[in-house]
Structure formats: structure tokens, C-alpha cells
Amino acid sequence: MNLNPKQVAAILAEQDNITILTHFHPDGDTLGSALALLRALRKMGKKVNFVNNDPVHRKYAYLWKGLKKQDFEEKFVVAVDIATEELLGDALKEQYAGKIDLSIDHHPSNTMFAKDTCLEGESAAAAEIIYYVIKELGVEFDGDMASCIYTGISTDTGCFKFRNTTARTFYIAGIMKELGADTETINEVMFEIKTRGELELERIMLEGMDYYFDDKLAIAVITQDMYKQTGTSEDECEYIASIPRQVAGVYVGVTIRERTNGTYKASVRTKPPIDASEICRAFGGGGHMNAAGCRFDGTLEEFKNKFITVVGEVL
Ligand SMILES: [Mn+2]
């Protein structure tokens, strides 16, 4: 059964000693959702921590400003913005697979891995659902919570540019602004400022970008060597996946990244009517209509060629 935010709030109200899990290579939505919920539950007097599989970029530090890790014996585990147990990352998967009590998510590809799930596939961000959960919990919003929700919503919509943005997205963002979300700083940190290294990485990536099918498909590659060369790292450069699709005429933008273990992953961004999650399913991945991802264990050439085949079939 798919729970609604009211039912989620009723379950959470009964629980204590809660751990909130984020997805691997945490982004603004999984972190913003986790921290908004954590702050709300702590306001109710509950003991709550959040856990990440990977290091988190320092630009997100304001999300947990003023919070300390609490000491308790964990009794209830919540996953936010996580479609499959694979996406927990290796360490968290090892520890929590099969033991997650509640999943709050907006990926239509959610595999229903948790005991209870609240899945709203039409939400632009998991943070939209978290907003309604907190409202149902009856906790009063403060500026920090509003900033957390706003971060989730703005990052998953590319600052309200992507097609997942709905009237409800703007509505909730408006309420967050009114409740004290620091939208100016968040927008600047998330969408405006880049380091010289990041710009240099973009330059090298664009130089090597290849086009196929009359420029309808663009494939860019980022290697570990390129991170080294520019002094950047993967968690700093999330936004880069949206660049290939920015090209006029491109319907499918693929950004392939080499992982530290030598395997590859790809972010796929599409324009309508092309379904990014359908493309990624051919690789065992998934996601949303216009943004999805997958991993691959073979060589870079094999990965590229398979994309050319799969995308050729849907174009
Ligand atoms: Mn999300």
C-alpha cells in the first residue's frame, strides 16, 4: 500500500530513535529532505540522526548548521529520495538492506524495498513530500527547515527550470520563502558560483563531447584523470550532467563518468517526448521522465556503443 503524507506522519509520531538515510553521492534533495525531517522530529523531542554513504560537499553545510550527532540505540530507519537499495551505496546497503522501515520518495522507479512506502511520482522533489509530512506532524517551520525544503526543491528542478516543476513546486517554494528560507544565498551557492576548477573541467569535457543522429544525441565523458587535472571531484560537479542537453537540437544528453573503482556511471537528461528512465532501464538503472541514471561495468567504448544503440531505438 502506498502511504500518503498524513499516514507517514502518524507512523513517525509513534517512533523514536530514528535514523534517516540519504542516497549515495548525496544531492540537495536527499540532504534537504533528510535534514528538514530530522529538524522537525527533533523539535518533537525525538532522537534522530542522518547518515550518508559518501562525503558531502561543504557547500551543503548550512543544512545541518547547529546540529550535533545524537547518541541512541537506533529503532526506526527512514530512507528519503532513494529509489532502490542499490542507491544507498555499498556501505549503507551492507548495513541497512532489508531493514528499512519507511521510504519517502518521488522516483516512479522505486522498487518498494521498505516495509512502508510513501511514493509520489509526480512530486518534483522528495522535499515536496517532506513539506506535507512535516505539516501533518504539526511542527512549526523555522527558517532552517524552510531552507532545507527549498534546497531540495530548487536543486531537483534546476532552480525551477526543469519540466518536473509544477504549480505545487512554486507554491511550496513560495511558502518556504515566506517562512524564512535563505533563497538568495542558496540560489547563489547552488546555481551561480563555480570554482575555476569546475569551469576548467567543463571546458575539457565540452572539447571531447561527441554528437550522433544529426546532433540529437550528445555524449560527454569525464574521467578520473580529468578530476585530477582540474582539482575537482565528482560530488562538486553534479550540475555538469545538465550541460549536454542544453545544446539546441539535442534530445538526449548523456554524461558518462568514470568512478574511482574504474567502472562507469551515466546521467541521462532528455527533452520530451524521450523518456530518460526508459533508456536507463536498458542498463538496469532508472529515474524520472527527463532525468535518469545507470551504471556499467564494461569498458568506456562498450558503454558508449550501447548508448548509441539504445538511444537510436527510441529517437
Ligand atoms: Mn530527488
Side-chain angles (χ1 to χ4, degrees), residues 20-26 51-54 77-80 82-100 113 295:
I20 304 175
L21 308 179
T22 60
H23 64 66
F24 83 134
H25 292 302
V51 190
N52 308 304
N53 190 76
D54 303 293
V77 181
V78 184
V80 288
I82 304 177
T84 72
E85 289 186 319
E86 288 298 314
L87 296 174
L88 288 167
D90 293 340
L92 286 190
K93 189 182 158 199
E94 170 109 18
Q95 196 179 348
Y96 288 104
K99 295 175 193 159
I100 296 170
F113 56 87
R295 298 199 226 174

mmCIF file of all heavy atoms in Angstrom, residues 20-26 51-54 77-80 82-100 113 295:
data_model
loop_
_atom_site.group_PDB
_atom_site.id
_atom_site.type_symbol
_atom_site.label_atom_id
_atom_site.label_comp_id
_atom_site.label_asym_id
_atom_site.label_seq_id
_atom_site.Cartn_x
_atom_site.Cartn_y
_atom_site.Cartn_z
ATOM 1 N N ILE A 20 17.872 8.523 9.582
ATOM 2 C CA ILE A 20 17.426 8.887 8.235
ATOM 3 C C ILE A 20 18.581 8.661 7.266
ATOM 4 O O ILE A 20 19.695 9.158 7.481
ATOM 5 C CB ILE A 20 16.949 10.354 8.178
ATOM 6 C CG1 ILE A 20 15.849 10.595 9.222
ATOM 7 C CG2 ILE A 20 16.450 10.695 6.774
ATOM 8 C CD1 ILE A 20 15.400 12.048 9.322
ATOM 9 N N LEU A 21 18.329 7.901 6.199
ATOM 10 C CA LEU A 21 19.370 7.569 5.224
ATOM 11 C C LEU A 21 19.227 8.433 3.973
ATOM 12 O O LEU A 21 18.115 8.685 3.508
ATOM 13 C CB LEU A 21 19.255 6.098 4.802
ATOM 14 C CG LEU A 21 19.205 5.045 5.910
ATOM 15 C CD1 LEU A 21 19.055 3.655 5.288
ATOM 16 C CD2 LEU A 21 20.461 5.111 6.772
ATOM 17 N N THR A 22 20.362 8.854 3.415
ATOM 18 C CA THR A 22 20.376 9.582 2.145
ATOM 19 C C THR A 22 20.951 8.669 1.065
ATOM 20 O O THR A 22 21.549 7.642 1.369
ATOM 21 C CB THR A 22 21.251 10.845 2.233
ATOM 22 O OG1 THR A 22 22.599 10.455 2.554
ATOM 23 C CG2 THR A 22 20.745 11.785 3.311
ATOM 24 N N HIS A 23 20.773 9.040 -0.198
ATOM 25 C CA HIS A 23 21.328 8.197 -1.266
ATOM 26 C C HIS A 23 22.804 8.492 -1.518
ATOM 27 O O HIS A 23 23.313 9.531 -1.103
ATOM 28 C CB HIS A 23 20.505 8.276 -2.555
ATOM 29 C CG HIS A 23 20.470 9.612 -3.227
ATOM 30 N ND1 HIS A 23 21.564 10.207 -3.798
ATOM 31 C CD2 HIS A 23 19.430 10.469 -3.438
ATOM 32 C CE1 HIS A 23 21.211 11.347 -4.341
ATOM 33 N NE2 HIS A 23 19.927 11.543 -4.121
ATOM 34 N N PHE A 24 23.491 7.566 -2.162
ATOM 35 C CA PHE A 24 24.939 7.728 -2.393
ATOM 36 C C PHE A 24 25.196 8.967 -3.263
ATOM 37 O O PHE A 24 24.337 9.413 -4.000
ATOM 38 C CB PHE A 24 25.563 6.435 -2.930
ATOM 39 C CG PHE A 24 25.438 6.203 -4.412
ATOM 40 C CD1 PHE A 24 26.534 5.782 -5.152
ATOM 41 C CD2 PHE A 24 24.229 6.376 -5.072
ATOM 42 C CE1 PHE A 24 26.429 5.562 -6.515
ATOM 43 C CE2 PHE A 24 24.112 6.151 -6.432
ATOM 44 C CZ PHE A 24 25.224 5.748 -7.147
ATOM 45 N N HIS A 25 26.390 9.536 -3.126
ATOM 46 C CA HIS A 25 26.698 10.846 -3.698
ATOM 47 C C HIS A 25 25.540 11.799 -3.422
ATOM 48 O O HIS A 25 24.856 12.250 -4.344
ATOM 49 C CB HIS A 25 26.984 10.740 -5.197
ATOM 50 C CG HIS A 25 28.241 10.001 -5.479
ATOM 51 N ND1 HIS A 25 29.460 10.394 -4.984
ATOM 52 C CD2 HIS A 25 28.467 8.864 -6.146
ATOM 53 C CE1 HIS A 25 30.380 9.537 -5.345
ATOM 54 N NE2 HIS A 25 29.818 8.592 -6.047
ATOM 55 N N PRO A 26 25.303 12.115 -2.151
ATOM 56 C CA PRO A 26 24.112 12.863 -1.773
ATOM 57 C C PRO A 26 23.986 14.204 -2.501
ATOM 58 O O PRO A 26 24.979 14.907 -2.684
ATOM 59 C CB PRO A 26 24.279 13.073 -0.269
ATOM 60 C CG PRO A 26 25.626 12.602 0.097
ATOM 61 C CD PRO A 26 26.166 11.783 -1.015
ATOM 62 N N VAL A 51 22.482 9.708 8.078
ATOM 63 C CA VAL A 51 23.701 9.003 7.681
ATOM 64 C C VAL A 51 23.891 9.114 6.172
ATOM 65 O O VAL A 51 22.940 8.946 5.399
ATOM 66 C CB VAL A 51 23.618 7.504 8.050
ATOM 67 C CG1 VAL A 51 24.968 6.852 7.854
ATOM 68 C CG2 VAL A 51 23.139 7.309 9.473
ATOM 69 N N ASN A 52 25.144 9.366 5.760
ATOM 70 C CA ASN A 52 25.486 9.401 4.331
ATOM 71 C C ASN A 52 26.489 8.315 4.018
ATOM 72 O O ASN A 52 27.360 8.022 4.822
ATOM 73 C CB ASN A 52 26.110 10.743 3.956
ATOM 74 C CG ASN A 52 25.252 11.903 4.395
ATOM 75 O OD1 ASN A 52 24.089 11.989 4.039
ATOM 76 N ND2 ASN A 52 25.820 12.786 5.196
ATOM 77 N N ASN A 53 26.386 7.752 2.834
ATOM 78 C CA ASN A 53 27.357 6.751 2.395
ATOM 79 C C ASN A 53 28.679 7.401 1.979
ATOM 80 O O ASN A 53 29.746 6.827 2.156
ATOM 81 C CB ASN A 53 26.775 5.979 1.208
ATOM 82 C CG ASN A 53 27.594 4.763 0.836
ATOM 83 O OD1 ASN A 53 27.535 3.748 1.510
ATOM 84 N ND2 ASN A 53 28.398 4.878 -0.205
ATOM 85 N N ASP A 54 28.587 8.621 1.436
ATOM 86 C CA ASP A 54 29.766 9.287 0.877
ATOM 87 C C ASP A 54 29.968 10.648 1.529
ATOM 88 O O ASP A 54 29.033 11.217 2.082
ATOM 89 C CB ASP A 54 29.568 9.506 -0.635
ATOM 90 C CG ASP A 54 29.290 8.206 -1.355
ATOM 91 O OD1 ASP A 54 30.196 7.374 -1.405
ATOM 92 O OD2 ASP A 54 28.148 8.029 -1.836
ATOM 93 N N VAL A 77 14.223 3.132 10.853
ATOM 94 C CA VAL A 77 15.076 3.618 9.766
ATOM 95 C C VAL A 77 14.221 4.150 8.608
ATOM 96 O O VAL A 77 13.330 3.460 8.113
ATOM 97 C CB VAL A 77 16.006 2.494 9.249
ATOM 98 C CG1 VAL A 77 16.909 3.012 8.133
ATOM 99 C CG2 VAL A 77 16.833 1.921 10.395
ATOM 100 N N VAL A 78 14.520 5.381 8.201
ATOM 101 C CA VAL A 78 13.779 6.036 7.118
ATOM 102 C C VAL A 78 14.727 6.341 5.961
ATOM 103 O O VAL A 78 15.836 6.841 6.175
ATOM 104 C CB VAL A 78 13.161 7.374 7.606
ATOM 105 C CG1 VAL A 78 12.304 8.000 6.516
ATOM 106 C CG2 VAL A 78 12.348 7.178 8.874
ATOM 107 N N ALA A 79 14.300 6.046 4.741
ATOM 108 C CA ALA A 79 15.078 6.395 3.542
ATOM 109 C C ALA A 79 14.358 7.524 2.821
ATOM 110 O O ALA A 79 13.143 7.460 2.623
ATOM 111 C CB ALA A 79 15.197 5.192 2.626
ATOM 112 N N VAL A 80 15.088 8.586 2.441
ATOM 113 C CA VAL A 80 14.459 9.682 1.698
ATOM 114 C C VAL A 80 15.120 9.868 0.336
ATOM 115 O O VAL A 80 16.339 9.893 0.224
ATOM 116 C CB VAL A 80 14.514 11.025 2.478
ATOM 117 C CG1 VAL A 80 13.562 10.998 3.663
ATOM 118 C CG2 VAL A 80 15.920 11.360 2.932
ATOM 119 N N ILE A 82 15.299 7.846 -2.177
ATOM 120 C CA ILE A 82 16.098 6.675 -2.577
ATOM 121 C C ILE A 82 15.189 5.674 -3.289
ATOM 122 O O ILE A 82 14.276 5.126 -2.685
ATOM 123 C CB ILE A 82 16.752 6.015 -1.348
ATOM 124 C CG1 ILE A 82 17.591 7.052 -0.583
ATOM 125 C CG2 ILE A 82 17.604 4.819 -1.772
ATOM 126 C CD1 ILE A 82 18.234 6.536 0.680
ATOM 127 N N ALA A 83 15.469 5.431 -4.587
ATOM 128 C CA ALA A 83 14.577 4.586 -5.395
ATOM 129 C C ALA A 83 14.818 3.089 -5.201
ATOM 130 O O ALA A 83 13.897 2.288 -5.292
ATOM 131 C CB ALA A 83 14.721 4.944 -6.874
ATOM 132 N N THR A 84 16.076 2.720 -4.968
ATOM 133 C CA THR A 84 16.401 1.296 -4.803
ATOM 134 C C THR A 84 17.472 1.150 -3.716
ATOM 135 O O THR A 84 18.196 2.114 -3.418
ATOM 136 C CB THR A 84 16.997 0.683 -6.099
ATOM 137 O OG1 THR A 84 18.330 1.203 -6.280
ATOM 138 C CG2 THR A 84 16.165 1.024 -7.314
ATOM 139 N N GLU A 85 17.587 -0.054 -3.165
ATOM 140 C CA GLU A 85 18.616 -0.263 -2.139
ATOM 141 C C GLU A 85 20.032 -0.113 -2.708
ATOM 142 O O GLU A 85 20.953 0.254 -1.985
ATOM 143 C CB GLU A 85 18.424 -1.632 -1.484
ATOM 144 C CG GLU A 85 17.184 -1.651 -0.600
ATOM 145 C CD GLU A 85 17.008 -2.935 0.185
ATOM 146 O OE1 GLU A 85 17.242 -4.024 -0.383
ATOM 147 O OE2 GLU A 85 16.621 -2.850 1.369
ATOM 148 N N GLU A 86 20.184 -0.363 -4.020
ATOM 149 C CA GLU A 86 21.479 -0.142 -4.684
ATOM 150 C C GLU A 86 21.956 1.297 -4.473
ATOM 151 O O GLU A 86 23.147 1.552 -4.315
ATOM 152 C CB GLU A 86 21.349 -0.368 -6.193
ATOM 153 C CG GLU A 86 21.184 -1.817 -6.608
ATOM 154 C CD GLU A 86 22.382 -2.642 -6.212
ATOM 155 O OE1 GLU A 86 23.502 -2.167 -6.455
ATOM 156 O OE2 GLU A 86 22.185 -3.726 -5.637
ATOM 157 N N LEU A 87 20.999 2.219 -4.501
ATOM 158 C CA LEU A 87 21.344 3.643 -4.443
ATOM 159 C C LEU A 87 21.743 4.104 -3.045
ATOM 160 O O LEU A 87 22.113 5.255 -2.841
ATOM 161 C CB LEU A 87 20.189 4.497 -4.975
ATOM 162 C CG LEU A 87 19.875 4.263 -6.462
ATOM 163 C CD1 LEU A 87 18.636 5.019 -6.888
ATOM 164 C CD2 LEU A 87 21.055 4.675 -7.334
ATOM 165 N N LEU A 88 21.672 3.196 -2.071
ATOM 166 C CA LEU A 88 22.198 3.524 -0.742
ATOM 167 C C LEU A 88 23.713 3.673 -0.792
ATOM 168 O O LEU A 88 24.302 4.344 0.049
ATOM 169 C CB LEU A 88 21.857 2.401 0.246
ATOM 170 C CG LEU A 88 20.401 2.275 0.693
ATOM 171 C CD1 LEU A 88 20.193 0.950 1.387
ATOM 172 C CD2 LEU A 88 20.037 3.427 1.618
ATOM 173 N N GLY A 89 24.340 3.042 -1.786
ATOM 174 C CA GLY A 89 25.799 2.961 -1.801
ATOM 175 C C GLY A 89 26.223 1.707 -1.063
ATOM 176 O O GLY A 89 25.463 1.148 -0.261
ATOM 177 N N ASP A 90 27.443 1.267 -1.318
ATOM 178 C CA ASP A 90 27.879 -0.054 -0.833
ATOM 179 C C ASP A 90 27.823 -0.206 0.686
ATOM 180 O O ASP A 90 27.280 -1.172 1.206
ATOM 181 C CB ASP A 90 29.293 -0.350 -1.337
ATOM 182 C CG ASP A 90 29.313 -0.520 -2.851
ATOM 183 O OD1 ASP A 90 28.224 -0.787 -3.412
ATOM 184 O OD2 ASP A 90 30.381 -0.379 -3.458
ATOM 185 N N ALA A 91 28.385 0.766 1.407
ATOM 186 C CA ALA A 91 28.474 0.630 2.868
ATOM 187 C C ALA A 91 27.091 0.645 3.521
ATOM 188 O O ALA A 91 26.778 -0.202 4.364
ATOM 189 C CB ALA A 91 29.346 1.740 3.447
ATOM 190 N N LEU A 92 26.245 1.598 3.120
ATOM 191 C CA LEU A 92 24.910 1.683 3.719
ATOM 192 C C LEU A 92 24.042 0.502 3.307
ATOM 193 O O LEU A 92 23.212 0.022 4.078
ATOM 194 C CB LEU A 92 24.223 2.997 3.335
ATOM 195 C CG LEU A 92 24.710 4.269 4.020
ATOM 196 C CD1 LEU A 92 23.777 5.425 3.716
ATOM 197 C CD2 LEU A 92 24.817 4.083 5.531
ATOM 198 N N LYS A 93 24.249 0.016 2.083
ATOM 199 C CA LYS A 93 23.477 -1.130 1.613
ATOM 200 C C LYS A 93 23.807 -2.354 2.468
ATOM 201 O O LYS A 93 22.926 -3.092 2.913
ATOM 202 C CB LYS A 93 23.803 -1.398 0.143
ATOM 203 C CG LYS A 93 22.884 -2.426 -0.485
ATOM 204 C CD LYS A 93 23.277 -2.692 -1.919
ATOM 205 C CE LYS A 93 22.739 -4.061 -2.318
ATOM 206 N NZ LYS A 93 23.432 -4.586 -3.489
ATOM 207 N N GLU A 94 25.085 -2.529 2.691
ATOM 208 C CA GLU A 94 25.553 -3.644 3.530
ATOM 209 C C GLU A 94 24.889 -3.596 4.912
ATOM 210 O O GLU A 94 24.447 -4.599 5.456
ATOM 211 C CB GLU A 94 27.078 -3.506 3.653
ATOM 212 C CG GLU A 94 27.718 -4.415 4.662
ATOM 213 C CD GLU A 94 28.537 -5.505 3.980
ATOM 214 O OE1 GLU A 94 28.863 -5.337 2.790
ATOM 215 O OE2 GLU A 94 28.813 -6.504 4.642
ATOM 216 N N GLN A 95 24.803 -2.390 5.444
ATOM 217 C CA GLN A 95 24.286 -2.224 6.803
ATOM 218 C C GLN A 95 22.757 -2.234 6.886
ATOM 219 O O GLN A 95 22.195 -2.729 7.856
ATOM 220 C CB GLN A 95 24.831 -0.899 7.363
ATOM 221 C CG GLN A 95 24.712 -0.775 8.866
ATOM 222 C CD GLN A 95 25.309 0.557 9.347
ATOM 223 O OE1 GLN A 95 25.993 1.257 8.602
ATOM 224 N NE2 GLN A 95 25.039 0.884 10.587
ATOM 225 N N TYR A 96 22.084 -1.679 5.849
ATOM 226 C CA TYR A 96 20.643 -1.430 6.006
ATOM 227 C C TYR A 96 19.724 -2.188 5.048
ATOM 228 O O TYR A 96 18.503 -2.141 5.213
ATOM 229 C CB TYR A 96 20.367 0.064 5.876
ATOM 230 C CG TYR A 96 20.836 0.863 7.071
ATOM 231 C CD1 TYR A 96 21.991 1.645 7.021
ATOM 232 C CD2 TYR A 96 20.120 0.823 8.263
ATOM 233 C CE1 TYR A 96 22.417 2.372 8.124
ATOM 234 C CE2 TYR A 96 20.533 1.551 9.366
ATOM 235 C CZ TYR A 96 21.688 2.329 9.289
ATOM 236 O OH TYR A 96 22.093 3.040 10.384
ATOM 237 N N ALA A 97 20.275 -2.872 4.048
ATOM 238 C CA ALA A 97 19.392 -3.562 3.089
ATOM 239 C C ALA A 97 18.460 -4.515 3.834
ATOM 240 O O ALA A 97 18.893 -5.258 4.713
ATOM 241 C CB ALA A 97 20.222 -4.311 2.060
ATOM 242 N N GLY A 98 17.184 -4.471 3.504
ATOM 243 C CA GLY A 98 16.190 -5.342 4.133
ATOM 244 C C GLY A 98 15.723 -4.858 5.494
ATOM 245 O O GLY A 98 14.864 -5.473 6.120
ATOM 246 N N LYS A 99 16.304 -3.756 5.988
ATOM 247 C CA LYS A 99 15.987 -3.290 7.356
ATOM 248 C C LYS A 99 15.381 -1.890 7.356
ATOM 249 O O LYS A 99 15.346 -1.233 8.397
ATOM 250 C CB LYS A 99 17.269 -3.259 8.192
ATOM 251 C CG LYS A 99 17.880 -4.633 8.409
ATOM 252 C CD LYS A 99 19.215 -4.504 9.129
ATOM 253 C CE LYS A 99 19.979 -5.814 9.080
ATOM 254 N NZ LYS A 99 21.420 -5.606 9.303
ATOM 255 N N ILE A 100 14.931 -1.415 6.211
ATOM 256 C CA ILE A 100 14.416 -0.049 6.153
ATOM 257 C C ILE A 100 12.910 -0.063 6.410
ATOM 258 O O ILE A 100 12.156 -0.770 5.750
ATOM 259 C CB ILE A 100 14.782 0.607 4.812
ATOM 260 C CG1 ILE A 100 16.312 0.715 4.733
ATOM 261 C CG2 ILE A 100 14.124 1.973 4.679
ATOM 262 C CD1 ILE A 100 16.849 1.104 3.396
ATOM 263 N N PHE A 113 11.224 -1.319 -1.613
ATOM 264 C CA PHE A 113 12.143 -2.125 -0.800
ATOM 265 C C PHE A 113 11.881 -1.984 0.700
ATOM 266 O O PHE A 113 12.308 -2.822 1.482
ATOM 267 C CB PHE A 113 13.601 -1.734 -1.102
ATOM 268 C CG PHE A 113 13.880 -0.259 -0.897
ATOM 269 C CD1 PHE A 113 14.244 0.220 0.352
ATOM 270 C CD2 PHE A 113 13.751 0.645 -1.945
ATOM 271 C CE1 PHE A 113 14.478 1.572 0.559
ATOM 272 C CE2 PHE A 113 13.975 2.006 -1.745
ATOM 273 C CZ PHE A 113 14.338 2.458 -0.489
ATOM 274 N N ARG A 295 24.495 2.518 -14.208
ATOM 275 C CA ARG A 295 25.909 2.164 -14.067
ATOM 276 C C ARG A 295 26.274 1.092 -15.080
ATOM 277 O O ARG A 295 25.410 0.432 -15.651
ATOM 278 C CB ARG A 295 26.164 1.607 -12.677
ATOM 279 C CG ARG A 295 25.879 2.599 -11.565
ATOM 280 C CD ARG A 295 26.578 2.158 -10.311
ATOM 281 N NE ARG A 295 25.694 2.236 -9.164
ATOM 282 C CZ ARG A 295 26.040 1.787 -7.953
ATOM 283 N NH1 ARG A 295 27.215 1.206 -7.751
ATOM 284 N NH2 ARG A 295 25.187 1.889 -6.944
#
